[in-house]
Amino acid sequence: MSGAIERLSSRFRTCAVTGLKVNKDSENLIKANAVIAIVCLLIGVTAAFGLVLTRWQTVHLLPAEMYYRFLTLHGMNMLIFFIIFFEMAILYFAGPVLLNARQPTPKLGWAAFGLMVIGMIMVNVMILMGKADVLFTSYPPLQAHPLYYLGVILFAVGALLATSLFFAALVVAKREKTYKGSVPLVTFGATTAAIIAVITLVHGAATYIPALLWSMNLIELDAQLYRLLFWALGHSSQQINVAAMVSVWYLLGGLTVGAVVLNEKVSRTAFVLYILFISMASAHHLLVDPGFGSAWKIWNTSYAMYLAVLASMVHGFTVPAGLEIGQRLRGFNAGKFEWLRKAPWGDPGFSGMVLSVVIFGFLGGITGVVIGTEQINIIVHNTMRLPGHFHATVAGGTALAFMAVTYYVLPLIFQKRIAFWKLAKLQPWIFGGGMSLMCMSMIYMGIFGVPRRHWDSSFSNAPFSVEFHPAVWISQASMGVGGLLAASGALLFVIIAVVTVFFGKPLTEQAIREGASGIPQGVLKLPAQLHEGEKVVAVHKKGAPGTMVLIMIFFACFVLYYFVNWKILSFLWKVG
């Protein structure tokens, strides 16, 4: 018995910074999933350069066939493989590591990882061989090779197994009493992501298993039913991202400035609203489909979906307000914005997180609500406004948040000092700035009706002439510049992460004491989590006046953009 206990205890190490008991099995699974996520990001970024230089009409780099191949490669690796591999790493961290628990059945974790890798490789090989030029959506009658669909199924099965291990870790931690009280908010948010993942992956099976049989000429496939089921996977998979991203915001807030969670019950309730209602937003992809009635469309994209919007509004306030109060507790109390001016902007974990919040909220969130409104959707659907929106949410929001947390994962999990530290400090700004410019340019182009998927915006060989406003071509240039900046920022992140993992200097207690280069300030000195005392009471009474100003600016932008879209619609309807 004592031997078994000794062997079990040898599977843990105590983190010198956080004091957490880190299970080595979980740590190894985090490392493996994170490394493959970076590989998938590299594939997606490589394709992104080709896409940007093709949509930029002046350059128009790729021929049509290669453009759509690169578009499929980019979509699958960025929207599915990179994101979900990274989310599996988050689940292994938010479960066993944050709860000081052992990793249940690590062999099953490696089997799940193996299935995901095999599926990812199969899909990418089929795309590169030219046997799956079907884009991310793979709508029938476009048909890929059966191995493409099988690869997606294997990947989904592996992800479902890994997600089940997260739930198992919660049970193990509860039974073995490795934590006190309620699970941490970050773990609660990860649980939300895991529940949405199960819903998503079940719909994925309902989508891709029939598609596999159809590709083998064994059954007929109804195109409309496929679209309905696909978006329960295709859009809901991005809702996993939202829950995981918000969890990362809360985590980084605590690690960087000791951010305060204003009210855990409110934040947890917002996560529950995600579980209940966020997947309904999938219907906004079907608002122009004639096979679905208006009642179904309005219900799914209006009354009920607004509860998911409310959840994002809650997090959009509590995260920056928590940062403000955390800073005020550390003495930055002058005026409304000293806490913001004197924040640790040189820490890429902090700057990446704040940029993620801003880009996701102002560019992704506002445009998303407009896209999800049935009447307005008709002037947005299948224009460049769509990629402008989802690049703001998935890339500017989720991917940037994952990049930011990587700057803490590298020292805390990989136990390495970050390579090219000066460049690392700039990387979130390069990626975030480029992505913002690209997204805004895409949204502006979409207002003039530029199509989202067409290889040639000028329609040069069409039997009809298409004339766009001259501003479109200026926006194409700014989109190209922004896209190249964003892709360069992502490539820089990949280089920093790879060099750090394989060639980085080890993180030692001496390096932390001496304040050596390549160590985020939250690792050098973890901010104390302050909850009691006269100072805490005084700061809480003052509230978060700076955040309130920022929120009012956000609402003003929201109302203005929403009103302008209704005004544009009224022109088309000849109203007024």
Side-chain angles (χ1 to χ4, degrees):
M1 182 67 178
S2 60
I5 294 174
E6 187 175 334
R7 284 195 300 274
L8 185 62
S9 62
S10 69
R11 300 304 302 161
F12 288 86
R13 70 172 178 87
T14 301
C15 177
V17 177
T18 63
L20 292 169
K21 289 173 60 182
V22 180
N23 180 266
K24 294 180 181 178
D25 294 315
S26 303
E27 186 174 58
N28 290 333
L29 285 166
I30 292 170
K31 290 178 179 179
N33 280 276
V35 167
I36 298 300
I38 300 302
V39 172
C40 296
L41 176 63
L42 177 59
I43 297 170
V45 168
T46 303
F49 280 106
L51 296 175
V52 169
L53 292 174
T54 303
R55 286 312 303 251
W56 189 352
Q57 196 68 30
T58 304
V59 181
H60 209 51
L61 178 67
L62 298 174
E65 183 180 0
M66 290 304 296
Y67 171 77
Y68 290 112
R69 190 164 303 162
F70 272 45
L71 195 55
T72 307
L73 189 71
H74 178 74
M76 290 302 295
N77 280 279
M78 294 303 227
L79 289 169
I80 297 294
F81 300 142
F82 159 61
I83 291 288
I84 293 183
F85 269 117
F86 205 99
E87 284 162 353
M88 295 304 106
I90 289 174
L91 292 184
Y92 287 119
F93 174 80
V97 175
L98 281 186
L99 299 179
N100 298 298
R102 61 183 174 86
Q103 175 61 53
T105 57
K107 290 182 179 179
L108 185 58
W110 287 110
F113 173 74
L115 283 174
M116 292 174 70
V117 171
I118 291 169
M120 178 270 292
I121 292 173
M122 288 174 63
V123 169
N124 280 317
V125 168
M126 288 298 103
I127 294 172
L128 292 172
M129 289 178 66
K131 296 183 178 181
D133 296 337
V134 293
L135 308 188
F136 169 69
T137 49
S138 56
Y139 286 153
L142 294 177
Q143 189 178 82
H145 192 280
L147 290 180
Y148 171 85
Y149 301 107
L150 181 60
V152 176
I153 292 168
L154 291 177
F155 180 85
V157 170
L160 193 57
L161 288 174
T163 303
S164 69
L165 290 180
F166 170 77
F167 293 120
L170 297 182
V171 174
V172 167
K174 185 72 173 179
R175 286 182 176 176
E176 297 179 0
K177 300 179 180 178
T178 59
Y179 67 95
K180 296 180 181 179
S182 302
V183 297
L185 182 60
V186 174
T187 303
F188 191 90
T191 305
T192 300
I195 292 171
I196 298 173
V198 172
I199 297 169
T200 300
L201 294 169
V202 168
H203 282 96
T207 304
Y208 278 100
I209 291 175
L212 171 63
L213 298 175
W214 169 66
S215 70
M216 299 168 68
N217 297 318
L218 296 176
I219 65 169
E220 295 293 326
L221 196 62
D222 183 274
Q224 182 172 292
L225 179 60
Y226 175 91
R227 285 169 63 85
L228 175 65
L229 292 174
F230 173 82
W231 283 115
L233 161 74
H235 192 89
S236 295
S237 63
Q238 311 319 311
Q239 311 313 327
I240 308 171
N241 306 348
V242 172
M245 173 190 68
V246 174
S247 301
V248 165
W249 289 348
Y250 283 115
L251 175 64
L252 284 172
L255 290 174
T256 55
V257 297
V260 173
V261 179
L262 301 185
N263 188 309
E264 287 227 4
K265 289 183 179 179
V266 171
S267 294
R268 290 172 191 258
T269 301
F271 277 122
V272 172
L273 289 176
Y274 276 158
I275 296 171
L276 296 176
F277 300 107
I278 201 166
S279 293
M280 301 179 81
S282 304
H284 83 247
H285 294 275
L286 305 169
L287 287 178
V288 299
D289 283 33
F292 301 97
S294 292
W296 180 86
K297 293 174 181 178
I298 292 171
W299 171 255
N300 279 279
T301 58
S302 297
Y303 305 113
M305 193 195 78
Y306 291 153
L307 293 171
V309 175
L310 173 63
S312 291
M313 294 282 195
V314 168
H315 295 307
F317 173 75
T318 58
V319 170
L323 296 176
E324 178 175 354
I325 291 178
Q327 282 285 83
R328 289 185 182 279
L329 287 171
R330 280 148 190 82
F332 301 110
N333 284 303
K336 286 184 171 63
F337 293 111
E338 185 190 28
W339 64 275
L340 194 58
R341 292 196 310 272
K342 296 189 177 179
W345 295 107
D347 179 351
F350 179 84
S351 62
M353 179 219 7
V354 172
L355 288 171
S356 168
V357 173
V358 172
I359 296 171
F360 181 86
F362 278 83
L363 294 181
I366 293 174
T367 57
V369 173
V370 167
I371 291 168
T373 303
E374 187 197 13
Q375 298 90 335
I376 307 175
N377 178 272
I378 195 67
I379 63 174
V380 178
H381 189 78
N382 269 345
T383 70
M384 286 296 285
R385 281 214 259 178
L386 264 295
H389 157 71
F390 63 70
H391 277 87
T393 55
V394 180
T398 301
L400 187 51
F402 288 178
M403 290 175 183
V405 79
T406 300
Y407 289 115
Y408 276 78
V409 170
L410 292 172
L412 295 178
I413 299 297
F414 287 86
Q415 299 176 72
K416 295 290 185 70
R417 288 160 54 186
I418 295 166
F420 309 120
W421 181 236
K422 290 183 179 179
L423 285 175
K425 292 181 178 182
L426 295 175
Q427 185 272 326
W429 298 97
I430 296 171
F431 180 79
M435 189 57 63
S436 298
L437 178 60
M438 186 184 80
C439 291
M440 287 188 290
S441 301
M442 285 178 166
I443 292 166
Y444 189 71
M445 289 162 61
I447 292 173
F448 291 97
V450 178
R452 62 176 288 204
R453 283 176 168 165
H454 203 285
W455 163 72
D456 184 357
S457 297
S458 67
F459 294 91
S460 56
N461 295 318
F464 50 83
S465 61
V466 177
E467 294 291 336
F468 290 115
H469 192 280
V472 165
W473 309 117
I474 298 173
S475 297
Q476 268 203 353
S478 62
M479 177 202 69
V481 172
L484 290 176
L485 274 174
S488 299
L491 184 59
L492 179 59
F493 168 78
V494 171
I495 293 170
I496 291 168
V498 170
V499 172
T500 299
V501 169
F502 294 103
F503 308 104
K505 297 178 182 179
L507 180 72
T508 62
E509 291 187 18
Q510 181 180 353
I512 294 175
R513 286 197 302 270
E514 294 175 354
S517 176
I519 307 175
Q521 55 90 32
V523 175
L524 288 173
K525 186 178 181 182
L526 185 69
Q529 308 298 306
L530 303 175
H531 301 288
E532 298 177 352
E534 293 182 7
K535 184 178 181 181
V536 174
V537 173
V539 168
H540 274 278
K541 283 185 176 180
K542 188 173 183 178
T547 300
M548 287 302 299
V549 172
L550 299 176
I551 292 298
M552 289 302 106
I553 294 172
F554 170 80
F555 276 128
C557 294
F558 197 158
V559 170
L560 178 62
Y561 186 77
Y562 200 68
F563 170 78
V564 166
N565 276 274
W566 279 102
K567 191 66 177 175
I568 294 172
L569 186 64
S570 74
F571 295 154
L572 298 178
W573 281 351
K574 307 298 182 185
V575 175

